[in-house]
Amino acid sequence: MSPRHFALLFAVCLVWGVNFVVAKWSVSGTPDILPGFEGVPPLFFAFIRFALLYAMLAPWLLPVPKKIGPVIGAGLGMGAIQFALLFVGLHYATPSSIAIVVQLSVPFTTILSIMFLKEKVGWVRASGMGMAFAGASLVVLKPAEISFTVGLLAGVGAAMAAAAGSIFVKRVELTTIPLQAWIGLFSWPPLLIASLIFERGQIEAMLAGGWLLIATLIFTVVVVNIFGHGAFYWLLRRYDASLIAPMTLMAPLIGVISGVVLLGDPVSWQLVAGGLIAIAGVALVAARRSRTLPPETVIQKPR
C-alpha cells in the first residue's frame, strides 16, 4: 500500500474511532462541556442522523432497485436497528468498551454466512471467532455494574444487527452511495416512531445541545458516513481485503484510546485483556477472506 493510501485509511479509522466519543457526548452529555445538556435521547439522535443522511443523498435513490426486499433488510439491519442499539449502548457504557464489543459483527457475519449462505469456515477463522467471543465476554460480564452491562449488551445487539444487515447486502445490487441513501430512507421512519413511543423531551434536548450538537450531527453524517465509507470502499476496490481488514482494527484501538484520554474511561484488566483477545480474534476472522461473501460484508466498520 502506498503511503498516501495508508494515510487515507488511517484518516478513515481515526474518524471512526473518534466518533465513539462524539456519539457518547451526543446521547449522554458526557463529558460535561455544555452546561445543562444531558444528551439527546438515543433513538431520536439515530432518527436525526438518518433523516439527514437521507436528505443529503436522496438524489441517489434512483433508479429504484429491482429487488427491494434485500434493500429493506440491509437498511433495517445496518441502519435503524444497529444504530438504535449502538446509541443506547453508548448512553450507558463507555466508548472504549463499546468500541471493542461492536467488533463482534465480524464473527457474527461469518456465523450467519455459514447458516444462510453455506460459507465454509476453516480452523483458523473458527479459532478467531472463539477468541473474539471470549474477549468480548470478558469485557461485558460485570455483574456488579448492571447499567454498564446493559449498555454493553446493547452493543452486542448492535453487532448482531449489523451482521444480519450484511447478509442482505450480499443480495443488493447497489454501490456505496445509493445504498446509504436507501438505508437512510428505511431507517428514519421506524426510529422516529420508536422515539415518539419510548422517549420524551427530544426537542428540549436538541435545543440544549445548540451548535455543538449540530456540529456532531454534521460530523457523524458527512465525515463518518459519507467520507469514511466512501473512502473505505474506494480503497477496498484497489487492495485485497486480507490487507485492508487487519488495518481497520486501528479504528477500535483509536476508539479505546479516545475514550481513555478524552473521557477518562477506566482502564481495567478486563478491558485490556478482553480487548486484546477480541481484536486478535477479529483480525484472524477478517484476514481470512471469505469465499462466499464480498469483502464489504465481511469487514464491518464502526460508524
Side-chain angles (χ1 to χ4, degrees), residues 24 34 72 243 254:
K24 172 67 175 180
L34 187 63
I72 296 174
L243 174 65
I254 292 171

Side-chain angles (χ1 to χ4, degrees), residues 126-170:
S127 299
M129 286 190 291
M131 290 174 61
F133 286 117
S137 297
L138 193 60
V139 175
V140 172
L141 296 178
K142 294 189 175 182
E145 303 176 30
I146 300 300
S147 62
F148 191 75
T149 302
V150 168
L152 288 178
L153 291 178
V156 173
M160 294 180 65
S166 296
I167 301 301
F168 286 103
V169 169
K170 170 66 177 175

Side-chain angles (χ1 to χ4, degrees), residues 76 110 148 160 178 235 253 267-268 272:
L76 293 177
T110 305
F148 191 75
M160 294 180 65
L235 289 168
L253 291 176
V267 182
S268 65
V272 174

Side-chain angles (χ1 to χ4, degrees), residues 114-225:
I114 294 171
M115 296 172 59
F116 297 105
L117 301 179
K118 309 303 180 183
E119 172 75 6
K120 294 182 179 180
V121 175
W123 68 270
V124 174
R125 291 173 71 191
S127 299
M129 286 190 291
M131 290 174 61
F133 286 117
S137 297
L138 193 60
V139 175
V140 172
L141 296 178
K142 294 189 175 182
E145 303 176 30
I146 300 300
S147 62
F148 191 75
T149 302
V150 168
L152 288 178
L153 291 178
V156 173
M160 294 180 65
S166 296
I167 301 301
F168 286 103
V169 169
K170 170 66 177 175
R171 297 177 171 84
V172 173
E173 298 177 355
L174 292 172
T175 55
T176 305
I177 298 299
L179 176 59
Q180 291 191 65
W182 282 98
I183 289 176
L185 174 61
F186 287 124
S187 292
W188 72 259
L191 286 169
L192 175 59
I193 294 171
S195 178
L196 292 175
I197 294 174
F198 297 109
E199 297 175 334
R200 297 292 181 270
Q202 295 94 323
I203 302 302
E204 293 83 353
M206 289 288 295
L207 293 175
W211 68 268
L212 275 178
L213 182 62
I214 294 174
T216 64
L217 285 167
I218 293 174
F219 177 81
T220 191
V221 173
V222 177
V223 181
V224 176
N225 237 66

Side-chain angles (χ1 to χ4, degrees), residues 7-95:
L8 178 60
L9 180 60
F10 179 79
V12 170
C13 291
L14 179 63
V15 165
W16 286 341
V18 172
N19 189 49
F20 285 106
V21 173
V22 174
K24 172 67 175 180
W25 178 82
S26 301
V27 299
S28 71
T30 303
D32 187 14
I33 58 177
L34 187 63
F37 179 66
E38 298 180 354
V40 176
L43 299 179
F44 191 75
F45 184 75
F47 153 67
I48 294 295
R49 181 190 193 276
F50 282 107
L52 288 176
L53 181 67
Y54 162 68
M56 296 181 68
L57 300 182
W60 280 271
L61 289 173
L62 297 176
V64 177
K66 295 180 180 178
K67 298 180 180 179
I68 200 65
V71 179
I72 296 174
L76 293 177
M78 302 188 74
I81 300 174
Q82 176 189 186
F83 280 88
L85 292 170
L86 178 63
F87 291 150
V88 168
L90 282 169
H91 180 79
Y92 291 105
T94 62

